[in-house]
Amino acid sequence: MGLFSSAADQAKRAVAEAALAYVPRGQVIGVGTGSTANFFIDMLGDLRQQIVGAVASSEATAQRLKKVGIEVLDLNSVNDLPVYVDGADEISPDLHLIKGGGGALTREKIVAAVARQFVCIADESKCVDILGRFPLPVEVIPMARAYVARELVRLGGAPDLRIGVTTDNGNCILDVHGLEILNPIEMEREINQITGVVTVGLFARRPANVALIGGANGVRRLEARA
Ligand code: 5RP
């Protein structure tokens, strides 16, 4: 059951604060997108003198980072990214994730791929046993939209075009309902292989390393099962 919004915000604030402990001083940090990441960005502002800068997973995050005085760096100019902090829409016990509710899945996946450690921050309503209740976002090249939708139906999903949304990369998003994702690694691979798909918002081949989960009893830390 979801938390009431003020309790959820409190939980998001708590995990954002807990994530500050993972920020490596004197280095560049990767920063994600969404309301939980926004709490983190606002707190990261207080550490701006202690980090070199940040790589942003979206234009919205880049704007917010700049607003709090943090330099935003191009990922191509960064050789080492020790940590990436970001939220999620669903988190499994293996720390496989569904992401992309905010539409930033492609850049999020790129930054996560480069980062050595992915710290996921979320309130406890995001924890599930099996991924798929949250519609799975898939970023698609616009001319392939109908073809990709048909292929997703073949995989058992019910794709819905996210109306009025164009991603930072100029593409559209299909939100796929009705999937029970029993094998996230295999499904990520399968959807990635559909021609016209840019990114699927399943983060299973590169899961989070650590999840900081906020709830009524404070913040608990989960690590990926061996
Ligand atoms: C954006 C994302 C976000 O991390 C995800 O949607 C969670 O957002 P929020 O922290 O607002 O619940 O993947 O593309």
Side-chain angles (χ1 to χ4, degrees), residues 9-96:
D9 279 356
Q10 228 173 356
K12 290 175 187 185
R13 215 174 272 117
V15 292
E17 191 174 2
L20 293 176
Y22 292 81
V23 175
R25 307 309 197 252
Q27 304 206 47
V28 178
I29 178 168
V31 182
T33 300
S35 58
T36 317
N38 282 345
F39 282 117
F40 176 71
I41 294 168
D42 294 346
M43 293 177 192
L44 192 63
D46 293 338
L47 300 184
R48 61 183 167 275
Q49 310 290 3
Q50 296 174 49
I51 60 173
V52 171
V55 170
S57 69
S58 65
E59 297 299 334
T61 287
Q63 291 313 317
R64 200 171 183 107
L65 284 164
K66 286 178 194 163
K67 221 165 129 192
V68 299
I70 294 172
E71 186 177 354
V72 176
L73 301 162
D74 181 337
L75 182 61
N76 293 305
S77 69
V78 172
N79 290 326
D80 184 36
L81 196 60
V83 175
Y84 175 51
V85 177
D86 195 1
D89 298 301
E90 277 188 353
I91 305 172
S92 80
D94 291 321
L95 305 194
H96 296 155

Side-chain angles (χ1 to χ4, degrees), residues 12 32-39 57-58 84-90 98-106 108 118 120-123 125-126 134 137 162 173 201 203:
K12 290 175 187 185
T33 300
S35 58
T36 317
N38 282 345
F39 282 117
S57 69
S58 65
Y84 175 51
V85 177
D86 195 1
D89 298 301
E90 277 188 353
I98 286 183
K99 290 186 49 55
L105 58 159
T106 296
E108 291 173 340
F118 179 177
C120 183
I121 52 176
D123 69 81
S125 71
K126 307 294 182 66
F134 189 91
R162 203 178 291 182
I173 292 186
F203 286 55

Side-chain angles (χ1 to χ4, degrees), residues 135-209:
L136 178 65
V138 181
E139 181 165 350
V140 176
I141 301 283
M143 75 171 287
R145 172 170 50 84
Y147 167 70
V148 172
R150 287 193 295 274
E151 292 297 299
L152 290 168
V153 168
R154 260 181 6 100
L155 292 179
D160 245 2
L161 179 65
R162 203 178 291 182
I163 301 293
V165 171
T166 300
T167 68
D168 287 348
N169 315 303
N171 298 313
C172 47
I173 292 186
L174 296 172
D175 290 307
V176 189
H177 299 254
L179 294 173
E180 191 186 28
I181 306 175
L182 297 172
N183 188 340
I185 293 178
E186 177 57 18
M187 181 155 285
E188 181 176 1
R189 196 186 59 78
E190 238 177 327
I191 296 178
N192 269 335
Q193 282 179 352
I194 302 172
T195 303
V197 166
V198 178
T199 308
V200 55
L202 258 178
F203 286 55
R205 296 177 64 210
R206 199 286 177 248
N209 300 101

